[in-house]
Structure formats: structure tokens, C-alpha cells
């Protein structure tokens, strides 16, 4: 089976954690990553919450992060467009926790919006070594992000605030 077919099979059978793991594995095969996380936008639109992480010690599931009005957030959350960071300078520009990210050997990143009916539900986030990602990589990831719509809608619906 292709990575996408494996993800579709997980989507059909569940549970949600198996879907997340299948998408993570698919992304590892398609574009690669060291760090993989999924964050949804809370119903109030002012916070995001991590719902999956392949490095739970460094980036645990749960807890909210306030959305700050930065140029990075305007592109991802406002314009609903993928973002690719190619090197350490891009990581420093985009992320307040850039020192932790770099300490994990990650100096490039991709943030892929999870969209449904024109609404941003959250992001799929991949990080790897410097120069790892290319401008053409987001298009390879978007079909996988589309498979996350259901689980993201479930998480948002269950969010108390």
C-alpha cells in the first residue's frame, strides 16, 4: 500500500491515535521529518492546542498556546497558506522556542494548514535538518492534511472553551 492508502485504511478503522500515527508515518515516507506535531485552533480562535506529538517529552500533548499576531501566524492562520522554513534563521523568525527546536536537530520546518470548508482547523507541523524541505513539499503533504479534518473537528467539538 502507498502511504496515502495506509492513512485512508486507518481513517476507516480508527481509532484516532492510529490515524495520527499513520499520517505521521506517511509523512516520514513522503517528505521526512524528525519532529511531527498536530495542533488545532480552539473554538475561541485565540489559542491552539497540541493533539499529537512524536516527541511527547519535548512537545507534550495538551495545554494551550496563545496565538500571537506575528507575520508567521498571519500567513498560516490568516491567509491559510503553508509555510516552509529552510534554515535556522527561518526557525528563529517563526518560533519563540527556536532554541529547543534547534537542539533537537531541526533547522527547517513546514506548517501545513488543515482546512475544511474554507475554515482553518489547525496545522500539521514537520521539522527536520537544515535545508531538508523544498518549496514543492507542501503540495505532497496537503492530501494527508485533508485526512485529518474529521479528527480535528472531533477535537474542536470536544474542546470546552
Amino acid at each position: 500500500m502507498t502511504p496515502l492508502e495506509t492513512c485512508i485504511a486507518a481513517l476507516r478503522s480508527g481509532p484516532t491515535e492510529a490515524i495520527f500515527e499513520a499520517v505521521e508515518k506517511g509523512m516520514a515516507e513522503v517528505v521526512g521529518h524528525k519532529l511531527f506535531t498536530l495542533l488545532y485552533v480552539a473554538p475561541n480562535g485565540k489559542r491552539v492546542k497540541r493533539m499529537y506529538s512524536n516527541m511527547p517529552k519535548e512537545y507534550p500533548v495538551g495545554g494551550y498556546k496563545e496565538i500571537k499576531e506575528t507575520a508567521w501566524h498571519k500567513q498560516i492562520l490568516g491567509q491559510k497558506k503553508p509555510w516552509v522554513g529552510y534554515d535556522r534563521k527561518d526557525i528563529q523568525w517563526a518560533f519563540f522556542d527556536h532554541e529547543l527546536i534547534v537542539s533537537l536537530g531541526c533547522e527547517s520546518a513546514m506548517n501545513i494548514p488543515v482546512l475544511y470548508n474554507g475554515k482553518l482547523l489547525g496545522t500539521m507541523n514537520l521539522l527536520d535538518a537544515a535545508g531538508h524541505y523544498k518549496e514543492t513539499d507542501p503540495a505532497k503533504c496537503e492530501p494527508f492534511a485533508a485526512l485529518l479534518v474529521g479528527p480535528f473537528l472531533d477535537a474542536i467539538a470536544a474542546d470546552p472553551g
Side-chain angles (χ1 to χ4, degrees):
M1 281 199 294
T2 68
L4 193 57
E5 290 169 337
T6 301
C7 291
I8 291 169
L11 189 65
R12 288 181 175 146
S13 61
T16 301
E17 188 72 14
I19 298 165
F20 294 160
E21 290 169 1
V23 171
E24 179 199 346
K25 185 176 182 221
M27 290 291 75
E29 291 179 39
V30 172
V31 294
H33 61 77
K34 290 182 181 179
L35 174 60
F36 179 89
T37 65
L38 300 171
L39 288 91
Y40 72 86
V41 178
N44 69 7
K46 297 178 182 178
R47 303 181 297 174
V48 294
K49 186 173 185 178
R50 189 174 301 108
M51 55 195 292
Y52 181 83
S53 172
N54 72 329
M55 292 187 183
K57 180 182 173 207
E58 295 84 356
Y59 285 96
V61 170
Y64 293 96
K65 291 193 313 185
E66 295 297 319
I67 295 173
K68 308 261 192 247
E69 287 296 320
T70 66
W72 178 88
H73 280 99
K74 287 177 186 173
Q75 178 173 340
I76 301 297
L77 301 177
Q79 298 174 17
K80 304 171 193 162
K81 293 181 179 176
W83 178 79
V84 179
Y86 303 98
D87 56 30
R88 183 184 293 222
K89 184 177 159 187
D90 291 336
I91 297 297
Q92 289 173 337
W93 174 82
F95 305 116
F96 74 91
D97 57 344
H98 56 86
E99 290 176 3
L100 174 57
I101 292 170
V102 169
S103 77
L104 298 172
C106 299
E107 294 186 29
S108 66
M110 273 197 305
N111 304 110
I112 309 297
V114 176
L115 302 167
Y116 176 68
N117 204 22
K119 182 178 178 185
L120 177 79
L121 303 178
T123 59
M124 178 171 66
N125 313 294
L126 299 92
L127 296 93
D128 210 314
H132 183 82
Y133 298 114
K134 300 171 190 61
E135 187 177 328
T136 56
D137 285 340
K140 299 173 188 174
C141 300
E142 288 172 331
F144 293 86
L147 296 175
L148 295 170
V149 167
F152 272 60
L153 287 172
D154 287 346
I156 293 165
D159 190 296

